């Protein structure tokens, strides 16, 4: 052995020791060492949880972990590999392509020949395109890899049906306040000191974490860094020291659709307080106010309709007011429109009538309207009976002829059925009256 070799070996051991002693972020130091230590996912890791039952058989099928950031998806995948004695391989769909996948698959095949299986953890699996997702199918089917994909997006929309049919989807939940508190307690034990916060500030810090375990520990670490000796922060000081973490909200992702759905359903359910809360959540997260204005207009025509014909006018006025005033003053106009819609009488009769009419139009083809309501600008058309027998409603008693306007082959249809609510109560009276006249005049 040359004299250089011992020095190199010594340097290697020294480097390894330095790396071990290097400062590590709190989330890394508190990473669970066993599945039993994972916080906040008792529905899959508790005594009767799906993964617990699966591990009791010592076999593992391919899985898709769906849930928000910081809920333990990567940690659980790594611990599953340990529990089932599989080699853990991790890649990210953000940084990997077809060539990278081929190398991983080839290595897994070689490993399999030696009797060692591979758990392939794919972070952000939804970012792979359809062709890349399809490349997993053969190695999943022949057992080369056990795939565990992690995604923050709804797998039903983002993953191939073929891939989903070969994997079980497990939902990871945002951590509740009790789980975040448990993480804080563990952190205090590791650090050997309490968080320098009063009771109210501690509750604020839990809310700032927004269900994200990794974020909660990062925030706790920031609090310790900021505190001077014997200093205890109140809620106001905490918010000054820590820049509040932005809500989990991606305008192209599930958070966006979840909140707009919650806003719409709160309006439909005549709950102005809940509707304002979700509207405020979306404003706070930076949603485009004009997108919200458009959705509010949609609510007016879908859920209020003619029960209050002013609803559409109010919503259009709110949109114009925002255009005129800008932010933040114009946001109040949108909020006012939301309150108006939530407290208005509800009816989807116009919405349902239009849907039924569209279906009838598609099903019945290009039927000719009855000839008596067709114009006859030429002699030929007149000779064919166009316009013959038409009764001008304004010349009839009650300005109502009661004629049938549907194609003869189709027969009379009823699409619009207004409820006895709001302004549609008056519309219902008119329709009932016209139906009575139509029957009296033999056209019912």
């Amino acid at each position: 052995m040359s004299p250089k070799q011992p020095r190199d070996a010594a340097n290697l051991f020294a480097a390894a020791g330095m790396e071990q002693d290097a400062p590590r972020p709190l989330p890394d130091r508190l990473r669970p060492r066993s599945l039993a230590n994972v916080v906040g996912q008792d529905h899959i890791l508790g005594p009767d949880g799906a993964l617990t039952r699966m591990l009791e058989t010592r076999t593992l099928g391919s899985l898709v972990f769906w849930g928000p950031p910081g809920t333990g998806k990567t940690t659980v995948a790594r611990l599953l590999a340990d529990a089932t004695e599989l080699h853990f391989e991790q890649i990210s769909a953000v940084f990997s392509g077809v060539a990278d996948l081929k190398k991983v698959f080839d290595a897994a095949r070689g490993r399999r020949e030696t009797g060692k299986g591979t758990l392939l953890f794919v972070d952000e699996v939804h970012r792979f395109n359809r062709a890349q997702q399809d490349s997993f199918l053969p190695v999943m089917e022949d057992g080369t890899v056990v795939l565990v994909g992690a995604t923050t997006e709804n797998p039903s929309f983002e993953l191939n049906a073929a891939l989903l049919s070969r994997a079980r989807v497990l939902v990871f939940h945002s951590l509740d306040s009790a789980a975040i508190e448990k993480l804080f307690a563990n952190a205090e034990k590791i650090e050997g000191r309490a968080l320098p916060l009063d009771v109210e500030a501690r509750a604020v810090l839990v809310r700032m974490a927004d269900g994200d375990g990794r974020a909660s520990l990062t925030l706790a670490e920031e609090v310790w860094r900021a505190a001077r000796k014997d200093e205890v922060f109140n809620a106001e000081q905490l918010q000054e020291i820590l820049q509040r973490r932005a809500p989990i909200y991606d305008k192209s992702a599930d958070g966006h659709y979840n909140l707009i759905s919650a806003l719409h359903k709160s309006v439909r359910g005549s709950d102005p307080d809940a509707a304002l809360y979700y509207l405020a959540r979306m404003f706070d997260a930076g949603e485009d106010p004009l997108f919200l204005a458009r959705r509010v207009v949609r609510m007016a025509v879908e859920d209020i309709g003619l029960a209050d014909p002013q609803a559409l006018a109010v919503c259009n006025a709110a949109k114009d007011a925002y255009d005129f005033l800008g932010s933040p003053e114009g946001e109040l106009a949108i909020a006012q429109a939301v309150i108006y819609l939530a407290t208005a009488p509800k009816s989807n009769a116009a919405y349902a009538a239009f849907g039924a009419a569209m279906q009838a139009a598609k099903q019945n083809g290009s039927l000719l309207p009855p000839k008596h309501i067709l114009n006859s600008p030429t002699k030929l058309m007149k000779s064919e009976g166009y316009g013959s027998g038409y009764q001008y409603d304004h010349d009839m008693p009650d300005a109502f002829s009661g004629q049938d306007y549907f194609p003869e082959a189709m027969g009379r249809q009823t699409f619009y059925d207004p409820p006895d609510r709001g302004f549609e109560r008056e519309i219902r009276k008119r329709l009932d009256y016209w139906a009575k006249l139509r029957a009296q005049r033999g056209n019912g």
Side-chain angles (χ1 to χ4, degrees):
M1 182 180 291
S2 68
K4 186 178 180 181
Q5 287 175 316
R7 282 200 301 272
D8 287 346
N11 289 340
L12 283 173
F13 286 124
M18 289 172 63
E19 184 177 347
Q20 195 170 20
D21 294 336
R24 292 160 58 206
L26 187 59
D28 187 50
R29 283 184 283 146
L30 278 174
R31 192 179 293 275
R33 299 290 183 260
S34 71
L35 289 169
N37 293 330
V38 175
V39 171
Q41 307 302 332
D42 292 346
H43 62 293
I44 56 176
L45 292 170
D48 294 317
L51 279 179
T52 304
R53 291 175 179 274
M54 197 179 295
L55 288 172
E56 285 173 357
T57 67
R58 301 293 298 169
T59 60
L60 195 65
S62 289
L63 303 164
V64 172
F65 292 167
W66 173 29
T71 51
K73 299 186 292 295
T74 304
T75 296
V76 169
R78 189 181 295 275
L79 294 174
L80 279 178
D82 292 342
T84 52
E85 298 181 347
L86 295 172
H87 174 81
F88 182 77
E89 188 77 32
Q90 179 175 351
I91 62 173
S92 170
V94 177
F95 303 111
S96 304
V98 173
D100 302 297
L101 291 177
K102 187 176 184 305
K103 289 179 184 176
V104 169
F105 296 159
D106 288 343
R109 289 189 185 97
R111 215 173 283 118
R112 190 183 182 197
E113 289 176 0
T114 67
K116 184 75 171 178
T118 300
L119 186 151
L120 175 58
F121 177 70
V122 183
D123 199 16
E124 303 286 346
V125 65
H126 62 276
R127 292 184 180 269
F128 277 134
N129 61 36
R130 293 191 174 275
Q132 289 169 322
Q133 290 180 32
D134 284 341
S135 69
F136 289 102
L137 303 181
V139 293
M140 292 169 68
E141 288 175 348
D142 67 12
T144 300
V145 301
V146 173
L147 176 69
V148 178
T151 177
T152 55
E153 304 298 318
N154 190 326
S156 301
F157 301 142
E158 302 296 336
L159 299 183
N160 285 3
L163 192 152
L164 280 177
S165 70
R166 293 164 173 79
R168 180 174 179 180
V169 176
L170 295 180
V171 180
F172 279 61
H173 296 162
S174 293
L175 273 60
D176 60 20
S177 58
I180 298 292
E181 277 286 5
K182 189 171 183 180
L183 288 178
F184 286 160
N186 290 343
E188 289 170 326
K189 185 176 179 182
I190 289 287
E191 288 287 320
R193 51 180 172 162
L195 279 165
L197 302 170
D198 67 18
V199 174
E200 184 185 1
R202 192 179 182 99
V204 169
L205 191 65
V206 169
R207 290 198 297 274
M208 282 183 179
D210 206 9
D212 185 327
R214 183 169 49 243
S216 71
L217 295 175
T218 301
L219 289 169
E221 200 165 33
E222 288 298 319
V223 169
W224 271 311
R225 286 192 187 118
R228 297 188 177 102
K229 190 176 186 322
D230 299 327
E231 190 173 19
V232 176
F233 299 130
N234 61 29
E236 186 176 350
Q237 291 170 323
L238 175 68
Q239 291 175 78
E240 288 176 1
I241 289 164
L242 292 179
Q243 293 299 309
R244 182 174 66 88
R245 185 173 177 273
I248 297 174
Y249 184 86
D250 182 340
K251 284 186 274 187
S252 64
D254 276 351
H256 166 83
Y257 296 110
N258 288 343
L259 289 186
I260 196 62
S261 175
L263 170 60
H264 196 151
K265 289 180 174 66
S266 298
V267 166
R268 182 182 294 152
S270 300
D271 190 334
D273 298 308
L276 280 174
Y277 166 70
Y278 291 116
L279 180 71
R281 285 270 303 273
M282 297 184 86
F283 278 143
D284 184 53
E287 183 57 81
D288 178 7
L290 286 176
F291 164 78
L292 291 169
R294 287 192 294 272
R295 289 304 299 241
V296 168
V297 169
R298 164 73 187 213
M299 295 172 204
V301 295
E302 180 176 339
D303 292 294
I304 285 81
L306 293 173
D308 184 348
Q310 284 300 308
L312 180 56
V314 167
C315 293
N316 272 317
K319 181 262 296 180
D320 292 341
Y322 180 81
D323 271 339
F324 184 63
L325 293 173
S327 184
E329 292 86 352
E331 292 166 3
L332 179 59
I334 299 173
Q336 182 174 309
V338 165
I339 295 171
Y340 189 99
L341 295 183
T343 56
K346 303 299 185 295
S347 170
N348 71 340
Y351 176 72
F354 179 65
M358 284 294 293
Q359 185 176 9
K362 291 175 181 177
Q363 290 176 347
N364 289 282
S366 303
L367 297 176
L368 188 70
K371 288 183 178 180
H372 65 267
I373 63 170
L374 299 178
N375 290 330
S376 55
T378 68
K379 288 183 179 179
L380 176 60
M381 295 170 79
K382 188 173 289 188
S383 68
E384 288 294 319
Y386 283 31
S388 177
Y390 174 64
Q391 298 175 12
Y392 186 57
D393 286 82
H394 293 290
D395 291 340
M396 304 300 293
D398 303 298
F400 181 78
S401 67
Q403 286 186 302
D404 188 5
Y405 299 104
F406 276 91
E408 293 176 9
M410 187 175 174
R412 180 160 186 80
Q413 305 287 316
T414 300
F415 300 131
Y416 180 49
D417 184 24
D420 193 25
R421 290 192 298 276
F423 182 72
E424 281 182 303
R425 183 182 292 115
E426 297 301 316
I427 297 176
R428 165 59 68 189
K429 291 177 184 177
R430 295 176 198 172
L431 291 176
D432 290 345
Y433 177 63
W434 289 330
K436 179 181 175 182
L437 290 181
R438 190 178 289 113
Q440 289 174 353
R441 296 170 188 178
N443 293 316

